[in-house]
């Protein structure tokens, strides 16, 4: 199921390779970092991205097993839907869809994630926008109520963002995260798409 790279993307990757120079990432980690940089034109992500020891291996396995993918917002879903459909066709669920009333003291996205993640406790969870959703997810993990196959935790912004990523770092779940305030839906989609390509091209 080899996924071909578009010539323009290949040219962009070559420029990134030249500019980034030597690094300490594994080949698989670098494939993900490079795609994030390609999506953002921001080389600082090379210093901000963190991978738990088995994150990529576990993510690839979960994709191949067609484990459901839960994303926090529609922009992430739109960014990955095409590649998901063309490869392993995992169920792709957006937490905020079909949620009209938040739980008391919760945001809509947080409420949606709490509901859907308990229905699919071993899912791949990708959060690119909502730090409140990531905080609630970490709480569910700490309580032993869910144990995701992989968490991609890259919310962006100023309120609760850094705190949510610190909470994720302190869990034992396999994870890919971005330190600090940076992140966002394009970063989340780039990470998952890079993982899908790695899985599809794996021999």
């Amino acid at each position: 199921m080899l996924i071909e790279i578009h010539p323009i993307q290949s040219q962009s990757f070559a420029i990134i390779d030249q500019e980034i120079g030597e690094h300490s990432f594994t080949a698989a980690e670098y494939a993900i970092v490079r795609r994030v940089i390609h999506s953002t034109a921001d080389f600082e992500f090379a210093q901000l991205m963190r991978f738990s020891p088995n994150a990529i291996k576990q993510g690839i396995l979960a994709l191949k097993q067609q484990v459901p993918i839960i994303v926090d917002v529609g922009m992430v879903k739109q960014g990955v839907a095409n590649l998901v459909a063309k490869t392993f066709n995992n169920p792709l669920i957006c937490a905020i869809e079909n949620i009209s009333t938040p739980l008391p003291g919760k945001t809509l996205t947080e409420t949606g994630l709490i509901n859907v993640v308990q229905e699919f406790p071993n899912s791949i969870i990708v959060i690119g926008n909502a730090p409140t959703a990531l905080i609630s997810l970490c709480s569910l993990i700490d309580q032993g109520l869910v144990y995701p196959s992989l968490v991609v935790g890259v919310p962006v912004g100023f309120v609760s963002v850094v705190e949510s990523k610190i909470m994720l770092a302190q869990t034992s779940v396999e994870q890919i995260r971005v330190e600090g305030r940076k992140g966002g839906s394009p970063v989340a989609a780039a990470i998952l798409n890079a993982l899908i390509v790695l899985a599809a091209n794996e021999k």
Side-chain angles (χ1 to χ4, degrees), residues 12 25 35 73 79 92 115 121 172 199:
S12 297
F25 295 111
R35 192 158 185 135
V73 293
L92 182 57
N115 290 344
S172 59

Side-chain angles (χ1 to χ4, degrees), residues 120-166:
F120 304 103
N122 298 316
S123 55
I124 298 168
I125 302 172
V126 184
I127 297 177
N129 194 278
T132 54
L134 183 54
I135 288 169
S136 282
L137 173 63
C138 291
S139 178
L140 292 171
I141 292 169
D142 288 342
Q143 294 174 60
L145 297 175
V146 301
Y147 200 84
S149 297
L150 174 69
V151 176
V152 176
V154 294
V156 63
F158 299 95
V159 179
S160 301
V161 168
V162 173
E163 293 86 345
S164 71
K165 293 171 179 177
I166 291 171

Side-chain angles (χ1 to χ4, degrees), residues 3-126:
I3 297 176
E4 299 290 341
I5 297 176
H6 189 279
I8 293 176
Q9 188 179 51
S10 181
Q11 189 177 358
S12 297
F13 283 174
I15 293 169
I16 293 168
D17 292 345
Q18 184 177 6
E19 291 195 22
I20 205 167
E22 291 187 11
H23 58 80
S24 59
F25 295 111
T26 67
E29 288 171 351
Y30 181 62
I32 295 171
V33 171
R34 184 171 61 176
R35 192 158 185 135
V36 169
I37 294 171
H38 176 256
S39 298
T40 61
D42 187 346
F43 280 85
E44 191 181 357
F45 281 103
Q47 280 73 54
L48 297 177
M49 293 195 65
R50 302 289 183 269
F51 301 85
S52 64
N54 294 307
I56 294 174
K57 180 180 178 182
Q58 186 62 37
I60 287 172
L61 181 63
L63 286 167
K64 289 182 173 182
Q65 292 176 340
Q66 295 182 304
V67 166
I69 300 166
I70 299 171
V71 302
D72 60 338
V73 293
M75 278 185 67
V76 179
K77 183 177 181 180
Q78 290 168 9
V80 302
N82 185 48
L83 205 50
V84 170
K86 286 199 309 188
T87 53
F88 304 103
N89 206 26
N90 305 62
L92 182 57
I93 304 156
C94 179
I96 203 169
E97 287 177 358
N98 305 316
I99 298 291
S100 56
T101 306
L103 292 167
K106 307 288 187 185
T107 66
L108 276 175
T109 311
E110 192 177 1
T111 299
L113 188 85
I114 290 168
N115 290 344
V116 75
V117 77
Q118 292 185 92
E119 186 177 352
F120 304 103
N122 298 316
S123 55
I124 298 168
I125 302 172
V126 184

